[in-house]
Amino acid sequence: MAERLITEPDLDDLAAGAAVLGTGGGGDPHIGRLLARAAIRAGGPVPLVPLGEVPDDAVAVVVAMMGAPTVMLEKVPAVEQAALAVQAVAAYLGRRPTHLICAEAGGVNALVPVVAAAGLGLPVVDADGMGRAFPELQMVMPTLYGLGATPMSIADEKGNRGIFDTVDNKWAERLARSATIDMGCAAMIGLYPMTGTQAREALVPGTLSLCAELGRVAREARAAHRDPVAAVTSLLGGVELFGGKVVDVVRRTEGGFARGEAVLEGFDGRHGELLLRFQNEHLVAVRDGEVVATVPDLICVLDAETGAAVTTESLRYGQRVRVLAAPCDPRWHTAEGLELVGPRYFGYEHDTVRVPTGPAGHPHAGHVESGARA
Amino acid sequence: MAERLITEPDLDDLAAGAAVLGTGGGGDPHIGRLLARAAIRAGGPVPLVPLGEVPDDAVAVVVAMMGAPTVMLEKVPAVEQAALAVQAVAAYLGRRPTHLICAEAGGVNALVPVVAAAGLGLPVVDADGMGRAFPELQMVMPTLYGLGATPMSIADEKGNRGIFDTVDNKWAERLARSATIDMGCAAMIGLYPMTGTQAREALVPGTLSLCAELGRVAREARAAHRDPVAAVTSLLGGVELFGGKVVDVVRRTEGGFARGEAVLEGFDGRHGELLLRFQNEHLVAVRDGEVVATVPDLICVLDAETGAAVTTESLRYGQRVRVLAAPCDPRWHTAEGLELVGPRYFGYEHDTVRVPTGPAGHPHAGHVESGARA
C-alpha cells in the first residue's frame, strides 16, 4: 500500500487481509473490493489517516453494511448507498463529516468506508471498531467507552432512508436489524458519530494497514513458495490449531444471521477432529472434545495451500483447510468486553479460552495495546 | 363542544363518536380520552380550526398512534410520546409545526392529536385523513393526492426515536410497522407533513366535529329515552343492516393486526344471520349469504340498547348488537381509492358493495362532498 493513500492496486491485499480478520464472517470482502475499485476509479485514491493524527475536533462517522453475508453474495449494493448513509446521518447531525471510520476491519466492512470516502472525497481513519468482525452493531469498542451508535442512518438501494436515535446501542441494533430485513437483508448504515478525541480512545488502531499487510505477506509467501498460512499466523501473533478436511457442514439463516457448525477431520491422523461453531463468524473451536479457542479471540479458517481465508458461507465438504487462532484487542477480555462479545452472549455455556500467544506479531496487531494512541 | 375549543367536558362525546367512526377498530378511544384529559388539564384547552381556515402556508403534521389495538389496551402510552413524535419530525424538517392533523377520526387516533396539541400549545385541524379508521398508514386521502407520508417520525415510551424517508407510502408503512413491533406493538408517529393548501385539498373536513356530534346525539337520545342507534344512523346518513346476538367470534393477532370473524344471529327471527369479517376494523358484512356492505363504506357495530360502539376486540358471545352501514367519503370509491382500501386489498374476492344512503345526514359526514373546501 502506498504511504497513506489507498489506491486501486492496494485493494487486492486489503481485501485478502480483511477476509482473514473476518474470521469466517463479515461478508465477502471481494464485493467490497469491486465497489471500492469502481469508487476509486471515479473519485480518485483515498487518504488513509493514522488514528494518532486525527484532529481532536474531527467529525468522524462509521459507515458499514448491515445484513446477512449469504444475502450480500446475491444482492450487490449500489456505490451511492454508502455515501447516502453518511450524508443522511450528517444532515441529521447538521455537521459536515471530516473523516470516515471502519466498523469492522474483517470482511466487506473493511472496504465500505473506502467506497464512501472515494465518493465523498473524505479520508478514512486507519483503525476500526473491533479489530475483527462481529455480527451485531453494538459489538464495537466505542460501546465499551460509552459512545452512542446513534444518531444513525440506514439506506437501501431503492432510495429508502431511516434515522434512529435510541436509548442504547442494543436498541439501535434491534431497530436497524428489522429495517435491514425489510430492506431485503442488506442495507448501508452510518453510525457512531464521534470526535477525533473520542476516536483515538475508542477505536482499534492500525487495522486497515494490518489488513493490507496480511494480504501482502500471504501473497509474497505464495510467490516465494513459502507457507502463506505460517506467514499470516506469525503476523497475527497467533497459533495454528488444526489442519484437516471438512467432513460436515450444517448451516441455516435465522433472523438475518448465518448460523451453523462444521466438522474437520485431521490430515494424516495428526489430530482427531475439530468442531467449529459459527454465527456469521467462527466463534468456538473444539478440538477432540476440548474447547481450544473462543470468541472474542480470532478463529480464522484458511485454505491449506493458498492461505486465503474461507468464509463460513463458502465452507464445503472435502475442503482442505488450516485453522488458526489469534489474540484480539485485549480490551475485549475485560469483564465489560466479555459481556458484550464473550461466548455466553452467543449462547455457549462456557468461559472464554484465551489463545496462547505465539511469537511477537505485527506492531499494529490487536494484541499490542494502543500502539497508535497519540 | 364549545365553539372552536376542545375542553375537558367535550372529551366524552368526542371519544364516543370516534368509537363509532372507528368501525370496530382504530384502538380504544377511551385510552385517548384519558390521555387527552391529562394533557388538557396540564396544557389547557385545544383550539379546533375549521379546515377552510387553515392558512395556505401552515406547517401541518399528522400525529397518530401505530400498533395493534389489543396491545394498546395493556400498554398505555406516555403523554410525552405524542409531543415527542411531532417534535422529532419537525426537527428533521427544520420547520416549526403550526397545526396538528388527525390521521383517522375513528378510534384512539381521533384523540391523539388533542394530546399532542395540548402538550405543544398548537391547534388541531377539524378534519382527518380518512373519515373513519383503516389499519395501514398509507390508507389516507393524502396518498390519493400524491402527498408523502415521510419524512415521518416514530417514538416509543422508552425514548427511542426514528425517522423514515421513503420512496413511497407503502414503504413507510412497512418500515414503521417493523419498528412498531420492535417497540412493543405500540408507538407514536408524526407524518404527512403538509401545507395548509395541501391539507384543504387532501383531508376529509369536519370529522372531529362529527365525532363530537355523534357522541352528543347518542347521549341525548339515551337521556330522552329515544333510540340512540337510530340517532347515530341518521346523523351518518346510513342504514341499519341487522340486529342480533353474537353467537361466534374467532380472532387472532397476525403481524401486528387483530384479524377475525364474528357471526350474529337475528333477534326474534327477523333475519337469519350476519357474518362480520374484520382486520382491526369491520370490513365486510354478509347477511344470509349476501354481501350487503364492504369497506371503504363504514360498518359500525353498536350496543343494541346504549348505541355505544363495540370494538372488534371487545366483541364477545351473547352480546346484543345492532349493525349499521354508512357511506364513506366518496373519493374512496374512485378506482385509485378502491385500489388502496377496497375489499380486494384486504384479500376478499369480491367487489365493493356501496351502502344505499338513508335520509340526509350531518353536513360534515363523509358522504357530503368537501363541504369545507375553501
Side-chain angles (χ1 to χ4, degrees):
Chain A
M1 186 180 286
E3 187 66 26
R4 305 186 56 176
L5 210 58
I6 302 172
T7 61
E8 196 183 323
D10 300 318
L11 297 175
D12 286 352
D13 284 348
L14 194 51
V20 173
L21 292 188
T23 66
D28 190 342
H30 295 292
I31 292 171
R33 186 176 54 87
L34 294 175
L35 288 171
R37 190 174 65 184
I40 286 175
R41 282 184 184 172
V46 171
L48 183 67
V49 179
L51 187 55
E53 295 179 18
V54 178
D56 289 358
D57 61 352
V59 179
V61 175
V62 171
V63 58
M65 177 181 274
M66 186 165 193
T70 41
V71 169
M72 290 180 197
L73 287 176
E74 299 181 3
K75 187 181 131 166
V76 178
V79 176
E80 294 74 24
Q81 243 183 289
L84 183 63
V86 174
Q87 287 166 325
V89 73
Y92 186 79
L93 287 164
R95 304 288 303 272
R96 281 183 82 85
T98 61
H99 294 73
L100 298 184
I101 300 171
C102 175
E104 51 184 353
V108 66
N109 278 328
L111 278 301
V112 166
V114 177
V115 175
L120 294 166
L122 290 174
V124 169
V125 178
D126 186 8
D128 81 318
M130 47 183 98
R132 45 164 298 159
F134 279 128
E136 298 181 357
L137 73 73
Q138 78 279 10
M139 295 174 167
V140 291
M141 210 61 83
T143 297
L144 294 187
Y145 286 84
L147 300 182
T150 67
M152 73 168 284
S153 65
I154 187 162
D156 73 10
E157 77 289 355
K158 291 172 280 293
N160 293 310
R161 276 166 295 164
I163 296 281
F164 294 114
D165 207 337
T166 60
V167 294
D168 62 34
N169 294 352
K170 284 188 93 165
W171 267 105
E173 160 67 27
R174 186 167 172 179
L175 293 170
R177 185 69 54 186
S178 292
T180 296
I181 293 169
D182 284 335
M183 288 172 167
C185 284
M188 285 291 185
I189 55 178
L191 66 172
Y192 289 101
M194 63 182 85
T195 65
T197 306
Q198 290 170 323
R200 288 201 304 277
E201 179 176 69
L203 298 179
V204 182
T207 43
L208 291 184
S209 296
L210 174 59
C211 282
E213 206 160 333
L214 285 167
R216 183 183 60 78
V217 298
R219 175 172 49 80
E220 290 178 356
R222 280 191 302 274
H225 304 289
R226 287 182 284 107
D227 180 7
V229 176
V232 165
T233 307
S234 165
L235 184 55
L236 289 173
V239 294
E240 190 169 334
L241 294 176
F242 198 84
K245 198 178 74 170
V246 179
V247 295
D248 197 19
V249 185
V250 180
R251 62 164 72 83
R252 53 203 181 276
T253 298
E254 285 174 357
F257 296 107
R259 294 193 163 131
E261 293 183 347
V263 179
L264 315 186
E265 201 175 76
F267 296 138
D268 316 320
R270 270 206 302 166
H271 303 293
E273 64 165 43
L274 189 84
L275 171 70
L276 288 167
R277 294 199 170 115
F278 54 86
Q279 293 182 27
N280 285 12
E281 287 75 40
H282 293 296
L283 299 181
V284 176
V286 184
R287 190 173 57 202
D288 298 331
E290 184 199 357
V291 178
V292 287
T294 67
V295 70
D297 280 343
L298 286 68
I299 299 170
C300 309
V301 179
L302 307 182
D303 181 277
E305 306 304 323
T306 66
V310 177
T311 59
T312 58
E313 71 255 36
S314 67
L315 270 176
R316 62 177 195 285
Y317 181 85
Q319 248 171 344
R320 297 169 65 83
V321 300
R322 286 155 70 186
V323 180
L324 67 92
C328 65
D329 186 293
R331 291 172 287 180
W332 285 130
H333 283 290
T334 59
E336 299 75 22
L338 291 175
E339 196 184 329
L340 205 60
V341 300
R344 291 185 195 278
Y345 180 87
F346 292 99
Y348 304 115
E349 291 296 321
H350 49 70
D351 291 327
T352 305
V353 174
R354 281 188 86 153
V355 173
T357 48
H362 183 275
H364 287 169
H367 72 288
V368 178
E369 195 153 12
S370 55
R373 280 202 199 167
Chain B
M1 184 181 287
E3 187 67 23
R4 305 187 56 175
L5 210 57
I6 302 173
T7 62
E8 197 182 322
D10 299 319
L11 297 175
D12 286 353
D13 284 348
L14 195 51
V20 173
L21 292 188
T23 66
D28 190 343
H30 294 293
I31 294 171
R33 186 175 56 86
L34 295 176
L35 289 170
R37 190 174 65 183
I40 285 175
R41 282 183 185 175
V46 171
L48 183 68
V49 178
L51 187 55
E53 294 179 18
V54 178
D56 288 358
D57 61 352
V59 179
V61 175
V62 171
V63 58
M65 177 182 272
M66 186 164 191
T70 42
V71 169
M72 290 181 198
L73 287 176
E74 298 181 6
K75 187 182 133 170
V76 178
V79 176
E80 295 71 25
Q81 243 182 289
L84 183 63
V86 173
Q87 286 165 327
V89 72
Y92 186 80
L93 286 165
R95 304 289 301 273
R96 283 182 80 86
T98 60
H99 295 73
L100 297 184
I101 301 172
C102 176
E104 50 184 354
V108 67
N109 278 328
L111 278 301
V112 167
V114 178
V115 175
L120 294 166
L122 290 175
V124 169
V125 178
D126 186 8
D128 80 317
M130 47 184 96
R132 45 164 297 158
F134 279 128
E136 299 181 356
L137 74 72
Q138 79 279 9
M139 295 174 167
V140 292
M141 211 61 82
T143 297
L144 295 187
Y145 286 85
L147 300 183
T150 67
M152 73 169 284
S153 65
I154 187 161
D156 72 11
E157 77 289 355
K158 292 172 280 292
N160 293 310
R161 277 165 294 163
I163 296 282
F164 295 113
D165 206 336
T166 60
V167 294
D168 61 36
N169 293 352
K170 285 189 93 165
W171 267 106
E173 160 67 26
R174 187 169 171 178
L175 293 169
R177 185 69 55 185
S178 293
T180 296
I181 293 169
D182 284 336
M183 288 172 166
C185 284
M188 286 289 185
I189 55 177
L191 66 172
Y192 290 102
M194 62 181 86
T195 64
T197 307
Q198 290 170 323
R200 288 200 305 276
E201 179 176 71
L203 298 179
V204 181
T207 44
L208 291 185
S209 297
L210 174 61
C211 283
E213 206 160 335
L214 285 167
R216 183 181 61 77
V217 299
R219 174 171 50 79
E220 290 179 354
R222 280 192 300 275
H225 304 287
R226 286 183 283 106
D227 179 6
V229 175
V232 164
T233 307
S234 165
L235 182 56
L236 289 174
V239 293
E240 192 170 334
L241 294 176
F242 198 83
K245 198 177 74 169
V246 179
V247 294
D248 197 20
V249 186
V250 180
R251 62 165 73 81
R252 52 203 181 276
T253 299
E254 286 175 355
F257 296 108
R259 295 194 164 133
E261 291 184 348
V263 179
L264 316 186
E265 202 176 75
F267 296 137
D268 315 321
R270 272 207 300 166
H271 302 295
E273 65 166 42
L274 188 84
L275 171 70
L276 287 167
R277 293 202 169 113
F278 54 86
Q279 294 182 24
N280 286 11
E281 287 75 40
H282 293 296
L283 299 180
V284 176
V286 184
R287 190 171 58 200
D288 298 331
E290 184 198 358
V291 178
V292 287
T294 67
V295 69
D297 281 343
L298 285 68
I299 299 171
C300 308
V301 179
L302 307 183
D303 181 277
E305 305 305 322
T306 66
V310 177
T311 59
T312 57
E313 73 253 37
S314 66
L315 269 176
R316 63 178 194 283
Y317 181 85
Q319 247 172 343
R320 296 169 65 86
V321 300
R322 285 156 69 186
V323 180
L324 67 91
C328 65
D329 186 293
R331 291 172 286 180
W332 285 129
H333 282 290
T334 60
E336 298 76 21
L338 291 175
E339 197 183 331
L340 206 59
V341 297
R344 291 184 194 279
Y345 180 86
F346 292 98
Y348 304 116
E349 290 297 321
H350 48 72
D351 290 328
T352 306
V353 174
R354 282 187 87 152
V355 173
T357 48
H362 182 275
H364 286 168
H367 72 287
V368 179
E369 194 153 12
S370 54
R373 281 200 197 169

